[in-house]
Amino acid sequence: MRKTNIPYDLIHQLEVKFGSLSQVPEDNPILANIRKILEFDRRSPILKVHLREEIKELLDKGYFIKDVADELSISTTTVRGSMRMFNIKTRPRFRYKIVNQGTGEIIYGSVCQDFGKLINVNCSSYKLAQDYLLLYGYKLTKCKPIVLWGELKKGQKYYQNGQLQVKK
C-alpha cells in the first residue's frame, strides 16, 4: 500500500482562515497547490520521471529549491525528495565576479572572501577585498542580476565552497 503525502499544514492554514475547506474559493492559490500535491502522488511513473528531469534541469541551472517548486507548481518537499532519491545537488549562484585586468579572465563567486585566496589575503569585507584585489590587478564587482551556474560557459572559473572550480 502506497503512502500519500497529504499537506496537512496547508489544509489547516485554509481551515483557520475560512473555517472549512468547503468555504475556500476555487481560485485560492493554496488550495490549487494542495490539489497539485495530491495529484502528484497519483501521477504515472512516466510523468514522475519527466518531473524529475525538470527538477534536475532547473537545479543544474542554479535555481534554488523554492524557485524550482514555484516554477513547477509543486512543494519544496517534493523537490527535496527527488533530490535525495536521485542524488541531485543544487548549483551555486554568483553575487560577485572579478576580472583580471591584464587578461580579461573572469572568476565568479558567491562570497567575496573567496577571492582573497587568489592573492593569499584574508578579505573580511567587500571593500577590503576590492582594495586588495585591485592592488593585484583584479577588479571586484557585484553581479547585477545574480548569475546562475547554468549561465556560465564551459571553461569559466568559479568558487564553490571555498574551492576554485572550472565549469566542465
Side-chain angles (χ1 to χ4, degrees), residues 112-113 123-134 140:
C112 59
Q113 289 82 354
C123 301
S124 58
S125 71
Y126 175 74
K127 180 68 177 139
L128 189 61
Q130 202 173 32
D131 292 343
Y132 273 120
L133 287 163
L134 195 57
L140 171 65

Side-chain angles (χ1 to χ4, degrees), residues 1 13 18-20 22 32 34 45 53-54 68 86 93 111 113 115 120 125 132-133 139 152-153 155 159 164-165 167:
M1 182 176 199
Q13 187 179 3
F18 296 97
S20 162
S22 63
I34 291 169
E53 290 169 0
E54 288 182 282
V68 172
F86 301 105
R93 299 172 106 178
V111 292
Q113 289 82 354
F115 297 121
N120 293 321
S125 71
Y132 273 120
L133 287 163
K139 183 175 182 181
L152 269 59
K153 295 178 179 75
Y159 274 98
L164 187 61
Q165 308 283 331
K167 185 170 180 183

Side-chain angles (χ1 to χ4, degrees), residues 69-84:
D70 291 346
E71 181 77 21
L72 300 176
S73 298
I74 57 177
S75 71
T76 56
T77 304
T78 300
V79 176
R80 285 190 182 97
S82 290
M83 290 174 67
R84 272 192 307 279

